[in-house]
Amino acid sequence: MNVNRRHLMTGTIGAAAVAMIASACASEDEGGGSGSGKKVGIAMPTKTSERWILDGDNLKASFEDEGYEVTLQYANDVAADQVSQIETMVGQNVDVLVIAAIDNKSLSGVLAQAKDQDITVIAYDRLILDTPDVDYYASFDNTKVGTLQGTYLVEALDLANQAGPFNIELFAGALTDNNAPYFFNGAWAVLEPFVTEGKLVVKSGQTTLEQVATENWDGAIAQERMDNILSNFYNDGSVVDAVLSPFDGISRGIIASLQGSGYTTMPVITGQDAELESVKYIISGLQAMTVYKDTRLLADTTVDMVLAVLDGKTPDINDEDTYDNGDHVIPAFLLEPVSVDVTNYEVELIDSGYIDAADLG
Ligand code: GAL
């Protein structure tokens, strides 16, 4: 697979993207192409996070480059709206559906309709569960995302040499997103031995996925939970030394909470997605790291999959074991996530063209 062969839209997160986030709303954006005359329906979860705006833009551009007609829709994190949008796409006789699910268990009905019409279904970044009607999965190594976050915390606190104890609090993503347990379990596998050893202490006692999950990956909800943790468990003068956060939007909520409580030096805080605002936080020292997942590569991987399938070929797959969706193991292509902090953001994000240095100013 050559994921770089297309002329990709720049992944740059610029002022325009920020403006789009500010005016986030359900939207429909229909593009036209001729070429093969085939149609693709792309269902993205939300415009409140800039990563999905980049995903949608990159997918649309890449499919249009190949001559596809594209329907791109966002559903504002409302699962029922996403189902209706996909129903409409099925009604438009698309050849392919590319779906980043809001609720991984809400799509069985509409995907059965899609299969009746022989529509190829690609689960994009997030696996769709409990249905026979998903053909392929394009994502990143989601366990590794968590491993990178957990490992970063262990190394930043120098737990190999320091006895601590250090106080850590844990956050995870939305329970409706199949990725959330992969991220959390990947990180927890690294962190738990240090909790058992007593070098890390979770003062809130909240350590299960259900206890630490964040509905809709919403930063405001994470902020509220952090407020509660700080007022209930850190009202004795103790401080939080580290926070496992799965996603930049959640990290920003946590940072706002800590700032509101008077923290001037931040704990070591993780993140994911290399969102512009959080890269600024990394440079200024508010957030320690993020996990960078190049959405341009994910879009290209997805387009390559679709081209192969519609050409009657088997697409490139590099994982046929990990992602059982409850019905069967979905063949997947998994890309490599990259740990980014202040020491390597220039090489990884700017030199690669993902972020424009001017936007960091
Ligand atoms: C996940 C995705 C993460 C992050 C999160 C919140 O499914 O893998 O990269 O974007 O959603 O949007």
Side-chain angles (χ1 to χ4, degrees), residues 49 51-52 125-126 177 179 183 217 247 272-273 293:
S49 157
R51 75 145 289 183
W52 298 112
D125 195 62
R126 299 173 170 179
D177 182 340
N179 289 348
F183 301 151
W217 298 88
F247 160 58
Q272 177 176 197
D273 285 348
K293 303 192 304 191

